[in-house]
Amino acid sequence: MTQKTVAVIGAGLTGLSTALYLKKQNIPFKVFEKSNRVGGVIQSHRKHGFLWESGPSTGTLGKPEAMELFEDSDSLDLLEIASPVSKKRYIWKKGKFRVIPSSPISGLFTPLFSLRDKFGILLEPFRPRGTDPYENLSSFVKRRLGESILDYAVDPFVSGVYASSPDILIPKYAFPKLYNLEQEYGSFLRGAFHKMREKKTDRDRKATKQVFSAKGGLGALVEKLETFIGAEHIVTGAQNLNCSPTEDGRYQIMQSGKLETFDGIIFAAGAEHLFEVFPFLNQPKFHDAVKVTYAPVIEAAVGFKKWNGLSLNGFGGLIPSKENRKLLGVLFMSSLFTDRAPAGGALLSVFMGGLRRTDYLSRSDSELRETVLAELGEMLRIPNPAPDLFEIARHEKAIPQYDILTAERMKIFGEIETAYPGLILGGNGVGGIGMADRIRQGSQMAFRLE
Ligand SMILES: Cc1cc2nc3c(=O)[nH]c(=O)nc-3n(C[C@H](O)[C@H](O)[C@H](O)COP(=O)(O)OP(=O)(O)OC[C@H]3O[C@@H](n4cnc5c(N)ncnc54)[C@H](O)[C@@H]3O)c2cc1C
């Protein structure tokens, strides 16, 4: 029997994960990437002794596939686990960053939540199970945990991860684990208790809450993956790629005047690019597949050779919308990972915009710089902030939202796969947005070809 040949569309973390596992199975494959480099939104930079990211900054090893990616690409030497200070996380409330409680006792004393909600947690297991699968996150959290927990835990968390609002996210798609705890066990607490007692396999144990990056930045991991996969398998600068089915049930790809035929195609780009790659899918019944709401994110890397602000003893701080500040959050990157700033200095990664402030995208660099320095100066008590590094990255379509459109998008992705055997559709429009989600989906897609 001859081996099936596969094309992978997109060489972000998802496509690279797919390619890694195609290579491991000795399946002949080729990756087509539109831009001139691989890695997608992942990009690391160095200047003046600072090392910063203009895309994702940290991931969690929350799925075994994330650790396996490092293992299976011989990249364990690159894996960098965040320093233990990462366990300390802050939320801004009434003029101060406050530590997120890490135990039930510290939870009782935190000024972040109301007394009513602190004690109300005890009643959580007795609250009725939700019945609306499309209930939004705000209502879901208010119903189970209370309003102050929504405002001072969930809202800032959602800003940090989705650059979004709990009013638009649907837990069933955005936080499926949490949603399933309620559906399966009737309660988060009861569900978490059951999960803790479940027997774990060695593979399950690879999934931890640890925060990771790579030595030399996440860009170094991308470079390693590219080398491991083999540059000969990757076509960059693949503009205007056009894929269509052939009469014998295969797929042909036309790119730069060259026609190539494959048995299977794995789509690992954002959902909005679907019809660009597969014009034959642009049919009314599939139109909702490309309807995606994106949150914009502006990221500022701010470096100080000599730090003289508050002690950066933690992961970073998130800012609830209720507090009406101009930033979404700040990560203390040089406290988490080595080599991010010169000794005695600091590197901060600041996030702005999101669905809260879409207008920030059109602001000039100098306006954004003024805003960031004024906010950081006050929040981290930096006298006359004059950074040695200030770099802005604008991402207009940063984070796909797992909102009410997601149900239809997922359904149509499934219908397309059924209608066109050999087409496997992934990308961050389905299956989660975090790096561990991307690695899981990417690796699973590599094993789905029959
Ligand atoms: C600013 C920002 C910060 C983030 N921070 C974090 C974080 O701290 N932690 C975390 O876990 N996650 C974070 N995320 C999310 C996470 O980074 C992404 O979900 C993940 O990296 C996306 O990987 P991907 O391969 O699915 O998509 P992408 O990285 O977008 O890659 C898709 C690739 O497909 C290519 N492509 C598109 N169209 C075509 C076409 N027609 N033909 C060929 N190729 C095409 C693109 O050029 C791109 O290279 C962040 C995302 C952003 C944008």
Side-chain angles (χ1 to χ4, degrees):
M1 200 180 89
T2 53
Q3 264 284 28
K4 291 200 164 178
T5 55
V6 184
V8 180
I9 312 295
L13 186 58
T14 312
L16 291 175
S17 305
T18 303
L20 168 70
Y21 288 100
L22 289 172
K23 171 137 186 158
K24 289 249 158 205
Q25 297 173 83
N26 291 321
I27 295 176
F29 69 95
K30 206 177 225 183
V31 182
F32 292 92
E33 164 55 50
K34 181 157 81 171
S35 81
N36 289 324
R37 47 171 285 281
V38 302
V41 293
I42 297 176
Q43 214 171 352
S44 311
H45 314 262
R46 275 188 197 272
K47 195 157 85 180
H48 307 321
F50 296 97
L51 165 62
W52 76 98
E53 309 282 352
S54 55
S57 305
T58 65
T60 54
L61 293 171
K63 306 211 157 55
E65 289 85 350
M67 178 56 99
E68 286 165 356
L69 180 91
F70 282 93
E71 290 169 355
D72 294 338
S73 60
D74 291 345
S75 303
L76 277 175
D77 57 331
L78 279 183
L79 175 65
E80 190 173 9
I81 301 294
S83 97
V85 302
S86 63
K87 293 199 181 98
K88 210 168 186 180
R89 294 169 183 229
Y90 298 90
I91 302 276
W92 183 262
K93 186 172 185 184
K94 292 193 181 146
K96 226 174 144 181
F97 273 124
R98 324 241 175 197
V99 182
I100 300 180
S102 54
S103 68
I105 299 290
S106 58
L108 278 181
F109 294 102
T110 179
L112 288 169
F113 313 130
S114 68
L115 204 60
R116 184 192 155 105
D117 290 345
K118 284 177 194 173
F119 287 101
I121 294 266
L122 299 173
L123 299 175
E124 194 274 338
F126 308 103
R127 294 194 176 124
R129 196 186 311 247
T131 51
D132 174 9
Y134 305 117
E135 179 182 27
N136 71 21
L137 185 62
S138 291
S139 143
F140 181 69
V141 173
K142 250 195 266 179
R143 187 167 56 69
R144 294 222 68 85
L145 301 172
E147 193 150 359
S148 67
I149 296 179
L150 170 67
D151 292 339
Y152 284 94
V154 175
D155 168 284
F157 175 72
V158 156
S159 293
V161 175
Y162 277 94
S164 180
S165 150
D167 291 344
I168 81 150
L169 296 179
I170 306 294
K172 182 171 181 189
Y173 307 113
F175 298 100
K177 267 192 192 167
L178 200 62
Y179 175 78
N180 289 333
L181 283 185
E182 190 194 39
Q183 289 305 305
E184 280 176 41
Y185 302 98
S187 145
F188 301 157
L189 291 183
R190 217 178 299 139
F193 182 70
H194 275 275
K195 291 273 168 205
M196 256 164 32
R197 287 161 43 117
E198 264 174 17
K199 248 198 150 144
K200 289 202 164 69
T201 63
D202 285 345
R203 183 166 197 236
D204 293 337
R205 273 190 277 275
K206 287 184 184 175
T208 65
K209 288 184 180 152
Q210 284 180 310
V211 172
F212 77 89
S213 177
K215 290 173 193 145
L218 291 165
L221 173 65
V222 164
E223 277 171 30
K224 183 68 194 282
L225 288 172
E226 185 179 16
T227 309
F228 194 94
I229 290 161
E232 69 281 12
H233 292 291
I234 306 175
V235 181
T236 51
Q239 301 275 343
N240 305 322
L241 177 149
N242 181 319
C243 174
S244 54
T246 62
E247 280 179 2
D248 60 351
R250 303 175 79 210
Y251 295 90
Q252 58 187 22
I253 287 186
M254 172 63 96
Q255 192 264 319
S256 299
K258 204 172 148 202
L259 196 64
E260 285 176 86
T261 306
F262 297 89
D263 298 296
I265 309 276
I266 298 181
F267 177 74
E272 56 157 358
H273 300 289
L274 194 67
F275 296 164
E276 170 187 314
V277 176
F278 307 105
F280 65 93
L281 294 179
N282 190 352
Q283 314 167 24
K285 63 179 177 187
F286 296 145
H287 278 178
D288 284 351
V290 295
K291 283 193 188 149
V292 190
T293 314
Y294 283 91
V297 171
I298 298 149
E299 225 174 323
V302 190
F304 297 84
K305 287 193 174 163
K306 190 169 177 313
W307 177 250
N308 57 1
L310 282 183
S311 155
L312 299 176
N313 180 23
F315 186 84
L318 291 170
I319 301 151
S321 13
K322 276 250 148 118
E323 294 288 315
N324 267 322
R325 305 293 309 207
K326 293 174 177 149
L327 309 182
L328 298 175
V330 51
L331 300 182
F332 307 157
M333 291 302 285
S334 49
S335 303
L336 302 179
F337 303 112
T338 54
D339 190 29
R340 288 334 198 241
L347 177 75
L348 306 171
S349 187
V350 177
F351 299 87
M352 286 168 281
L355 292 181
R356 251 191 237 173
R357 301 297 302 258
T358 50
D359 57 308
Y360 275 32
L361 211 53
S362 54
R363 297 203 175 177
S364 69
D365 283 8
S366 59
E367 279 176 289
L368 293 173
R369 180 184 165 105
E370 208 177 296
T371 303
V372 170
L373 296 188
E375 289 286 88
L376 286 183
E378 185 189 332
M379 296 177 134
L380 299 176
R381 316 256 160 84
I382 319 167
N384 307 314
D388 302 288
L389 177 90
F390 193 94
E391 298 285 337
I392 295 235
R394 287 179 172 74
H395 299 269
E396 189 183 343
K397 294 189 169 179
I399 315 281
Q401 300 295 301
Y402 284 46
D403 56 10
I404 196 71
L405 299 174
T406 314
E408 201 53 21
R409 187 164 68 237
M410 282 172 56
K411 183 174 135 255
I412 298 176
F413 268 44
E415 286 168 3
I416 294 172
E417 287 186 348
T418 309
Y420 296 94
L423 259 195
I424 293 174
L425 302 184
N428 64 4
V430 291
I433 57 157
M435 287 195 279
D437 298 317
R438 300 290 82 235
I439 296 168
R440 165 172 283 184
Q441 184 194 60
S443 57
Q444 286 178 346
M445 290 196 297
F447 293 96
R448 281 185 52 203
L449 280 169
E450 278 151 24

